[in-house]
């Protein structure tokens, strides 16, 4: 499905701060994989997501989706088939716009905008139906500005909006990190439901080892631009949080990194 081949990524090239993060890095994501990615700070987790989405260019190598190279494809074109939820709930929604306006924007992702109204009133009942699945009462607050919602409500909306149009790939960039434990669990349960219902190929970067073990069919640990652990579904079922911590501590404590 997704294949990164022989990727080089160098930051601050040609300066005294030059750092090579990826050196001949290759990684493959199979169709319908739900991969949890953990690792030390600066290990390349988020950079890999950015490379797939196109917000960070590579210095060498190729990226393919279903066998077709996207390495030269513009970021906005990649998002026609990719949904992404960020760590900051504010990044997936527009705070100055209402819930209805946000839903309408997500509903029209990838479409050309003319001089017609941006909000299709005929879709209101559909939006209410979608929002009611969140069990947050948002279906009755369509006229409320999103900036007035809680972080958990905004993140639930961001997740819902990211999958409103037909996509194949869902990218989750620490999407529960800014939430309290109870809300984070709600968002994770919603995530798992959405991924299964829509049969999405999913990559989730997380600092929560419990979530990494509980959700998905594959777990990858990254360190210094390499995948140093890659557990399949059966291996993941048999793994424990302490097992991951032991490996993490071995590679990370001497560098002062934290998970």
């Amino acid at each position: 499905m997704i294949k990164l081949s022989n990727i080089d990524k160098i930051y601050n090239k040609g300066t005294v701060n030059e750092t090579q993060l990826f050196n001949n890095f290759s990684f493959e994501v199979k169709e319908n994989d739900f991969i949890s990615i953990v690792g030390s700070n600066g290990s390349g987790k988020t950079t890999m997501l950015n490379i797939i989405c196109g917000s960070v260019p590579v210095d060498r190598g190729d990226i393919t989706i279903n066998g077709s190279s996207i390495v030269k494809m513009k970021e906005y074109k990649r998002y026609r088939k990719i949904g992404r939820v960020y760590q900051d709930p504010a990044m997936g929604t527009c705070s100055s716009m209402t819930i209805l306006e946000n839903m309408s924007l997500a509903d029209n992702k990838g479409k050309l905008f003319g001089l017609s109204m941006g909000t299709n009133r005929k879709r209101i009942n559909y939006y209410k139906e979608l929002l009611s699945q969140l069990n947050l009462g948002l279906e009755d607050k369509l006229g409320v500005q999103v900036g007035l919602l809680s972080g958990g409500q905004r993140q639930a909306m961001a997740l819902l909006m990211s999958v409103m149009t037909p996509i194949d790939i869902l990218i989750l960039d620490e999407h529960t990190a800014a939430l309290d434990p109870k809300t984070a669990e709600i968002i994770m349960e919603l995530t798992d439901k959405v991924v299964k219902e829509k049969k999405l190929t999913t990559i989730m970067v997380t600092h929560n080892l419990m979530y990494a073990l509980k959700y998905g069919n594959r777990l990858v640990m990254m360190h210094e631009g390499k995948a140093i652990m890659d557990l399949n579904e059966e291996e993941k079922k048999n793994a424990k949080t302490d097992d991951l911590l032991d490996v993490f501590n071995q590679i990370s404590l001497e560098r002062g990194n934290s998970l």
Side-chain angles (χ1 to χ4, degrees):
M1 173 77 178
I2 307 171
K3 191 172 183 179
L4 279 64
S5 303
N6 310 116
I7 298 294
D8 284 359
K9 179 57 195 175
I10 302 171
Y11 285 105
N12 304 311
K13 198 171 185 178
T15 73
V16 293
N17 296 317
E18 179 175 310
T19 302
Q20 180 153 10
L21 177 58
F22 290 128
N23 182 11
N24 201 35
F25 175 73
S26 295
F27 190 76
E28 189 168 349
V29 181
K30 297 178 181 178
E31 187 173 4
N32 295 329
D33 262 350
F34 183 166
I35 305 177
S36 298
I37 298 182
V38 299
S40 53
N41 292 332
S43 62
K45 305 184 300 296
T46 295
T47 295
M48 183 172 72
L49 301 186
N50 289 334
I51 284 173
I52 293 171
C53 292
S55 52
V56 169
V58 298
D59 295 292
R60 184 179 73 91
D62 196 17
I63 310 151
T64 60
I65 295 181
N66 294 329
S68 299
S69 178
I70 63 166
V71 73
K72 294 183 179 180
M73 183 183 289
K74 297 292 185 181
E75 183 178 6
Y76 75 92
K77 290 186 177 180
R78 299 189 197 189
Y79 277 113
R80 290 173 181 171
K81 288 297 180 180
I82 297 175
R84 185 168 185 174
V85 186
Y86 297 85
Q87 177 178 343
D88 183 355
M91 291 189 68
T93 54
C94 182
S95 61
S96 63
M97 299 175 71
T98 65
I99 292 176
L100 176 58
E101 290 166 339
N102 272 268
M103 295 291 285
S104 184
L105 274 178
D107 195 17
N108 288 283
K109 186 179 80 169
K111 298 177 184 178
L112 294 175
F113 283 87
L115 296 177
S116 59
M117 293 291 290
T119 301
N120 185 349
R121 296 284 168 176
K122 295 178 181 179
R123 301 282 282 174
I124 288 179
N125 287 336
Y126 171 63
Y127 300 153
K128 286 185 175 181
E129 183 182 338
L130 289 179
L131 290 165
S132 67
Q133 299 174 22
L134 302 178
N135 296 315
L136 297 172
L138 298 180
E139 65 274 15
D140 298 321
K141 299 178 180 179
L142 292 183
V144 173
Q145 284 191 345
V146 170
L148 300 177
L149 302 180
S150 69
Q153 289 174 320
R154 292 186 71 166
Q155 200 66 312
M157 265 196 68
L159 177 60
L160 187 64
M161 289 166 57
S162 72
V163 299
M164 280 182 67
T165 55
I167 60 170
D168 299 320
I169 301 162
L170 180 61
I171 300 293
L172 305 169
D173 190 359
E174 300 184 43
H175 72 307
T176 63
L179 307 176
D180 64 79
K182 182 179 179 179
T183 305
E185 187 61 50
I186 292 172
I187 296 300
M188 278 307 311
E189 290 174 358
L190 176 63
T191 299
D192 195 47
K193 178 184 177 184
V194 167
V195 168
K196 288 176 178 175
E197 287 182 351
K198 295 183 176 290
K199 297 180 172 60
L200 299 174
T201 300
T202 304
I203 307 174
M204 177 180 74
V205 166
T206 180
H207 284 282
N208 191 309
L209 297 183
M210 182 181 70
Y211 291 162
L213 287 171
K214 182 177 179 180
Y215 296 99
N217 67 308
R218 185 175 161 199
L219 188 150
V220 172
M221 181 180 289
M222 296 189 67
H223 182 63
E224 295 183 340
K226 299 180 180 66
I228 63 166
M229 177 188 290
D230 193 339
L231 304 182
N232 61 33
E233 189 166 13
E234 191 61 33
E235 292 169 332
K236 198 161 82 71
K237 286 179 181 177
N238 295 324
K240 295 180 175 59
T241 304
D242 287 344
D243 299 332
L244 299 182
L245 277 173
D246 286 344
V247 177
F248 181 80
N249 288 334
Q250 289 175 23
I251 63 173
S252 185
L253 285 181
E254 72 277 5
R255 293 171 55 86
N257 282 328
S258 59
L259 191 63

